[in-house]
Amino acid sequence: MSFSPHPPSLSGSNSVEEQRSRWERKRSRAAKELVQTEQHYCQQLELVTTFFVEILKAKGTLKEDIREAIFIYLSLNSYIQLKKNKAFRRFKTLQEARPQFDNQKLEDLLQMPVQRIQQCPATDAVVSLFPVGAVDALSEVSQRIKDNAQRHDNHLQLCRVQKLLKGRKAQVLAPGRWFIREGWLNIVPPKGSETKPKMFFLFSDLLLEAKCCSPLSFSSGRKYVGQHAYPLRDAAIEKVFGHTRSSGGLLSLTFPKVKLLLMSSNQDDFNDWYQCLSSAIRYKPINAHP
């Protein structure tokens, strides 16, 4: 016959109390951490308000619309507007040199609101600190921020490619279009002449063939002339060879009015082109990313 120092009901009660106590300690630590990080977050944002926003307003160095545009672009990690404004660049460098910034850059501070939402821990202890539905709302906002960031990055890629291209067939900025990849491939002609290296830009709905403006160099930074645009809606792709681990391969791309044979001597590059083209051909929705 076994002996228990406490009646079963009392022992169970102690166990529940211990669990409740551990849970409250976790909850207390989570609340303390949130308060501390929130205080630091507010202090960092106050630096931006004090040493950038308020001083710029007081000095009248920039017009309000230009000032807002610069801050928006910096918060999106885009430096186009910054490069255009020498006065703001000088002011930014001067302010960032203050000891209060501790070698931090303005663009890093401006991205904190986005990072704050995305990095908020979703542990049970933290979730218990928020009202019902607040965590779901936070997750929804975080996902919306990620989607907006992806759309912004894609827009920058489209703008970059557009600047590389010349010619009436090189219009790449279009609603719902997503950039996928770019690179050199050799076109194999239907008759036995030599292959021709061409630059290809692959988008979610389009394959654009281009040639280098200067045939003497394929170095980066060159301009390209768009030659042919191939819509992917009714395209089909097939590996002619390159199924095994070899030195490259040959792809067959069939469009309603033309057929392309594209070759790469690099196996990894060949496989990536095949995967990307296959995904783009299967991609149907207009307003989503592939």
Side-chain angles (χ1 to χ4, degrees):
M1 178 177 177
S2 62
F3 173 77
S4 175
H6 300 290
S9 59
L10 184 58
S11 177
S13 176
N14 288 339
S15 177
V16 171
E17 289 299 326
E18 288 174 0
Q19 291 179 2
R20 184 176 299 164
S21 178
R22 286 196 298 269
W23 171 253
E24 287 299 326
R25 287 197 296 270
K26 286 183 179 179
R27 194 169 183 269
S28 178
R29 285 196 299 268
K32 184 178 180 180
E33 182 181 349
L34 279 178
V35 170
Q36 290 175 342
T37 57
E38 189 69 18
Q39 287 174 340
H40 178 71
Y41 166 71
C42 292
Q43 290 168 358
Q44 299 294 86
L45 291 185
E46 188 175 351
L47 288 177
V48 177
T49 302
T50 302
F51 293 104
F52 281 94
V53 179
E54 297 300 331
I55 294 179
L56 282 174
K57 284 182 180 179
K59 293 179 65 175
T61 306
L62 302 173
K63 294 181 179 179
E64 184 178 355
D65 58 339
I66 296 177
R67 185 173 66 244
E68 290 181 357
I70 288 175
F71 277 96
I72 289 172
Y73 274 87
L74 282 174
S75 66
L76 293 172
N77 206 20
S78 172
Y79 309 102
I80 298 172
Q81 289 289 334
L82 179 60
K83 292 178 181 178
K84 292 180 179 179
N85 198 296
K86 293 182 180 180
F88 182 78
R89 286 209 311 270
R90 289 194 296 267
F91 174 76
K92 176 177 178 291
T93 302
L94 180 65
Q95 297 302 87
E96 288 174 345
R98 291 176 176 271
Q100 294 91 334
F101 281 90
D102 193 25
N103 296 320
Q104 295 180 97
K105 299 297 183 183
L106 173 62
E107 51 268 28
D108 297 329
L109 294 172
L110 289 175
Q111 292 175 49
M112 285 195 306
V114 173
Q115 295 169 349
R116 180 67 175 163
I117 293 175
Q118 293 177 337
Q119 295 174 357
C120 183
T123 62
D124 291 341
V126 172
V127 169
S128 69
L129 299 173
F130 292 94
V132 176
V135 176
D136 291 339
L138 187 64
S139 298
E140 183 180 343
V141 171
S142 178
Q143 186 59 50
R144 192 179 306 141
I145 289 173
K146 291 178 182 178
D147 292 342
N148 288 339
Q150 285 182 335
R151 284 192 287 268
H152 174 70
D153 290 343
N154 178 68
H155 178 71
L156 292 180
Q157 285 280 32
L158 293 178
C159 290
R160 177 188 64 82
V161 173
Q162 187 68 76
K163 290 180 180 179
L164 291 176
L165 294 166
K166 298 170 62 177
R168 62 183 181 86
K169 293 185 178 180
Q171 298 302 314
V172 301
L173 291 171
R177 177 170 291 164
W178 287 78
F179 172 79
I180 299 177
R181 68 157 296 170
E182 64 193 60
W184 291 93
L185 288 169
N186 290 315
I187 293 183
V188 180
K191 298 183 180 179
S193 54
E194 294 182 358
T195 61
K196 297 179 180 180
K198 297 287 184 178
M199 172 61 79
F200 285 91
F201 298 90
L202 177 61
F203 307 95
S204 54
D205 64 331
L206 186 74
L207 179 66
L208 181 64
E209 175 191 334
K211 67 176 183 179
C212 191
C213 290
S214 173
L216 299 178
S217 174
F218 295 155
S219 62
S220 60
R222 290 282 181 179
K223 296 287 185 178
Y224 303 93
V225 177
Q227 293 184 293
H228 301 284
Y230 303 99
L232 299 176
R233 177 178 297 177
D234 298 316
I237 185 172
E238 180 184 0
K239 282 185 181 180
V240 178
F241 64 82
H243 299 76
T244 58
R245 193 74 183 175
S246 58
S247 56
L250 180 66
L251 294 175
S252 171
L253 276 174
T254 305
F255 303 95
K257 294 183 179 180
V258 68
K259 182 176 182 178
L260 286 179
L261 292 175
L262 303 177
M263 178 182 287
S264 174
S265 58
N266 183 289
Q267 188 67 37
D268 291 335
D269 192 53
F270 169 78
N271 290 334
D272 190 62
W273 270 110
Y274 177 77
Q275 294 296 331
C276 290
L277 281 164
S278 299
S279 297
I281 289 172
R282 292 193 303 266
Y283 171 69
K284 299 302 179 184
I286 296 177
N287 296 318
H289 60 80

